Amino acid sequence: MSYLSTKELSALEDQLGFERMLCCKYQDAAQATAEAELKTCYSQYAAQHKRNYDTLLGFLR
């Protein structure tokens, strides 16, 4: 099993925070818009950032 350095763990923590923030922002944008096309795009972006978050989190398990 390979172990992550403190620097790598810190970078992962930062990236997890960015992905979580982007997911929330896109979810908020999807809820705030009335345009169907934008709502779809924002929802897709939110889902992608959620997948990114989950993938990064998997590296810590």
Side-chain angles (χ1 to χ4, degrees), residues 12-23:
L12 256 173
E13 182 180 22
D14 289 345
Q15 193 61 42
L16 280 167
F18 294 139
E19 294 297 343
R20 183 176 49 241
M21 177 191 62
L22 287 168
C23 180

Side-chain angles (χ1 to χ4, degrees), residues 5-55:
S5 70
T6 303
K7 189 173 184 176
E8 292 168 326
L9 284 172
S10 179
L12 256 173
E13 182 180 22
D14 289 345
Q15 193 61 42
L16 280 167
F18 294 139
E19 294 297 343
R20 183 176 49 241
M21 177 191 62
L22 287 168
C23 180
C24 290
K25 285 188 178 276
Y26 280 120
Q27 285 174 339
D28 290 346
Q31 290 175 355
T33 189
E35 294 186 40
E37 286 184 49
L38 282 177
K39 189 178 289 289
T40 299
C41 286
Y42 291 151
S43 294
Q44 289 173 347
Y45 296 153
Q48 180 60 56
H49 286 290
K50 175 71 167 98
R51 284 191 298 275
N52 293 348
Y53 179 88
D54 291 340
T55 299

